[in-house]
Amino acid sequence: MKVLIIGGVAAGTKVAAKLKRMERDAQVDILTMSKDISYAGCGLPYYVGDLIHERSELVVNTPEKFAALTGANVETEVEVTGLNRESKTVTALDHKTGETKEYSYDKLVIATGASPIIPPVEGIHLKNVFVMRTPDDAVALRDAIEAGEIKRAVVAGAGFIGLEVAENLHAKGIRTTVIDMAPQILPPFDPEMAEYAENHLADEGIMCFTGTTLEAVIGTEKVEKVKTSRKAYKADALILALGIRANTAFLADTGIELMPNRTVKVNAGLRTNDPDIYAIGDCAMVTNRLTQNSTWSPMGSSANIEGRMLAQELTGEPREYPGVLGTGICKLPNLNCGRTGLGEAAAKEAGFDPVSVITVVDDKAHYYPGASSFIVKMIADRQTQKLLGLQCMGPGAVDKMIDIAVMAISLGATLSSMEYLDFAYAPPFSTAIHPFAHTLNILLNKINGELDSFTPTEYQAKAAQGYTVLDVSITPTLEEKEYVNLTQIDSQLPNHPTDEKILLVCAKGKRAYLTQNRLKYYGYTNTKVL
């Protein structure tokens, strides 16, 4: 079997390595435009911040090392320019020699990845306009920083990569501003969670301006200002993190079916509409595991899973890719942000009846050094009680919360089936009631009617209009609001009839819930917890 793979990095190299392990006599050739066969794209922001010191640490394998390890043949700096499905050949330009070559295949794997979006605005090609896609991009930015050229920077794009670059620029003492045309940062997160992260970044000294469009780059030879729809910002550098576009231009007029965003359409076996051509990684469109709708998952994790599965498929072991959950995680200054599954609006759009809670829970025993809190949003379907999504933020190990949710959603777990799980506990790691279980219990209480609450989103939509706000924190916190001490409630509240609409507010929600529970005992029927 002769397998030709277009593209390296994660998806292409993974399918090649696994395929050669499974079927040693297969002829496997990789053609890649890059000089590097395999590199850690997700590590680039940390090279900029000098947390990763050497460029070589980003390069997973050289072409020579990969070929020796796997037995696959690797040709770098080769750009595929055409595909002939009838003759089962591709045409490619060798940039090292300028020669045009033809390669044949029995099976073709398209793993061409994606390229950064560069908007066609004035001044975009000035010196010190950077993208963040390859090791050389990160090297160029860090070299400019170390040369003392950059004191102020604008990052265009407030997704994971943009904010991670902003964090590392800020850590290097560079005054950093982030702009994004979207209405919020971190677009996969629900708005109230993203708003929390945005406020946190402002406290850390990184200002984010949403609803703001990049209009021009101003300067003579290099960046001097970045003009936006809001204002012009003085800057020595502009880092573009506006997203990526699939590298599929060479497939034009080949009959290979593409999606509206120009990614390749594949079935559950990662096969295109040509039975001998497959597509994986950033250039392919897959499905959402929960909704079975088409979704794009340009992530290194997805690329590796798809590559492994495709190798099995190519060796005659039929496989079906169940899809992705949109899982993602990023590190911001003193705040880690992770998510998986559906957000609340997406769940409603998919036909679910979502119910959610936001909790503030300890991430480990409160008395242990370094203990902090998680802010968690858990979303489930009201009727089936199946977990639909989880979002978590905090300075600690949010990944453990997300990974539990990934497993639960993937296995179709209900809230009640997870109610008594035996999680790992010791003070340095967790709380006696695990933060995931704690949040789950609160959501069950809400579904069962033991907790009556407004979410932040409902509160912002003015659901609490007409309610009397009572401050029930441990100590008085809200200005000009009546304070009620839970420990002193032993009868009905003076001046508050039992049918009055009352909103109970504290720092984390716990004390408000305890107060609500006690007030219900004394006959109150219209209380809500924020």
Side-chain angles (χ1 to χ4, degrees), residues 31-112:
L31 308 178
T32 178
M33 281 185 61
S34 173
K35 295 178 183 178
D36 298 301
I37 179 66
S38 183
Y39 56 83
C42 297
L44 301 182
Y46 306 105
Y47 179 86
V48 172
D50 204 15
L51 293 171
I52 297 168
H53 304 300
E54 303 296 331
R55 182 191 186 281
S56 58
E57 295 177 70
L58 295 171
V59 178
V60 180
N61 271 309
T62 63
E64 298 76 18
K65 182 180 174 184
F66 184 82
L69 281 170
T70 66
N73 178 56
V74 178
E75 294 190 38
T76 59
E77 298 181 74
V78 175
E79 179 185 1
V80 173
T81 56
L83 164 65
N84 187 321
R85 292 166 56 195
E86 289 185 7
S87 64
K88 299 182 86 168
T89 59
V90 300
T91 306
L93 174 64
D94 188 327
H95 286 276
K96 296 189 292 291
T97 65
E99 182 184 0
T100 298
K101 299 179 180 178
E102 195 173 82
Y103 299 82
S104 62
Y105 64 85
D106 296 323
K107 302 291 182 183
L108 179 66
V109 178
I110 301 168
T112 45

Side-chain angles (χ1 to χ4, degrees), residues 93-416:
L93 174 64
D94 188 327
H95 286 276
K96 296 189 292 291
T97 65
E99 182 184 0
T100 298
K101 299 179 180 178
E102 195 173 82
Y103 299 82
S104 62
Y105 64 85
D106 296 323
K107 302 291 182 183
L108 179 66
V109 178
I110 301 168
T112 45
S115 296
I117 293 172
I118 300 176
V121 299
E122 177 189 348
I124 201 68
H125 298 297
L126 285 171
K127 184 184 177 186
N128 286 352
V129 175
F130 301 93
V131 294
M132 197 56 48
R133 189 65 181 169
T134 70
D136 288 342
D137 297 330
V139 168
L141 178 53
R142 195 168 104 182
D143 284 351
I145 294 169
E146 292 176 350
E149 296 178 20
I150 302 174
K151 304 298 180 186
R152 290 175 293 196
V154 172
V155 177
F160 286 171
I161 293 293
L163 293 181
E164 287 168 349
V165 171
E167 178 201 17
N168 282 278
L169 292 173
H170 179 71
K172 299 292 285 183
I174 295 167
R175 186 174 175 181
T176 305
T177 301
V178 180
I179 63 169
D180 200 300
M181 65 187 296
Q184 65 172 70
I185 68 170
L186 295 171
F189 285 80
D190 282 352
E192 68 274 29
M193 299 292 284
E195 184 179 357
Y196 176 82
E198 184 178 337
N199 291 337
H200 175 87
L201 285 170
D203 291 341
E204 294 283 342
I206 300 173
M207 299 303 298
C208 299
F209 296 97
T210 55
T212 303
T213 306
L214 174 66
E215 294 186 343
V217 188
I218 301 169
T220 50
E221 295 181 356
K222 62 180 183 178
V223 177
E224 295 172 16
K225 286 184 178 180
V226 175
K227 183 184 177 186
T228 76
S229 57
R230 179 182 295 269
K231 60 175 282 189
Y233 297 93
K234 289 183 179 180
D236 307 307
L238 169 66
I239 297 87
L240 298 173
L242 296 169
I244 54 177
R245 249 187 217 111
N247 295 326
T248 56
F250 73 99
L251 295 173
D253 303 320
T254 64
I256 294 297
E257 192 172 353
L258 302 180
M259 301 296 288
N261 67 350
R262 311 306 293 169
T263 56
V264 183
K265 184 177 181 180
V266 296
N267 64 11
L270 304 174
R271 192 191 307 254
T272 70
N273 56 310
D274 185 311
D276 293 317
I277 300 178
Y278 300 79
I280 55 174
D282 291 2
C283 67
M285 180 71 78
V286 291
T287 58
N288 181 285
R289 186 187 285 251
L290 272 168
T291 66
Q292 293 305 301
N293 294 330
S294 295
T295 192
W296 193 24
S297 181
M299 301 284 288
S301 50
S302 303
N304 274 280
I305 294 167
E306 292 161 27
R308 184 177 194 277
M309 193 205 99
L310 180 53
Q312 296 167 325
E313 176 84 12
L314 288 169
T315 53
E317 296 184 14
R319 291 287 192 274
E320 287 194 358
Y321 188 42
V324 298
L325 289 173
T327 307
I329 192 167
C330 72
K331 178 182 176 296
L332 304 180
N334 301 308
L335 186 72
N336 303 318
C337 306
R339 72 169 307 279
T340 192
L342 300 176
E344 200 160 1
K348 191 172 293 184
E349 187 179 331
F352 295 102
D353 180 13
V355 55
S356 71
V357 290
I358 287 184
T359 64
V360 183
V361 292
D362 294 336
D363 63 357
K364 55 179 67 72
H366 68 275
Y367 52 81
Y368 191 83
S372 186
S373 297
F374 288 142
I375 295 180
V376 188
K377 181 170 185 177
M378 182 178 283
I379 305 161
D381 180 58
R382 192 183 300 271
Q383 183 178 356
T384 64
Q385 292 195 12
K386 283 189 175 182
L387 185 65
L388 297 178
L390 190 85
Q391 301 173 29
C392 183
M393 295 183 177
V398 304
D399 58 313
K400 71 178 181 181
M401 297 286 284
I402 302 306
D403 288 343
I404 292 168
V406 167
M407 184 67 74
I409 296 170
S410 299
L411 297 179
T414 63
L415 301 182
S416 57

Side-chain angles (χ1 to χ4, degrees), residues 465-484:
Q465 275 190 336
Y467 279 75
T468 300
V469 174
L470 296 184
D471 180 356
V472 295
S473 301
I474 295 176
T475 56
T477 304
L478 302 178
E479 293 183 12
E480 300 180 2
K481 299 298 179 185
E482 181 182 348
Y483 175 72
V484 175

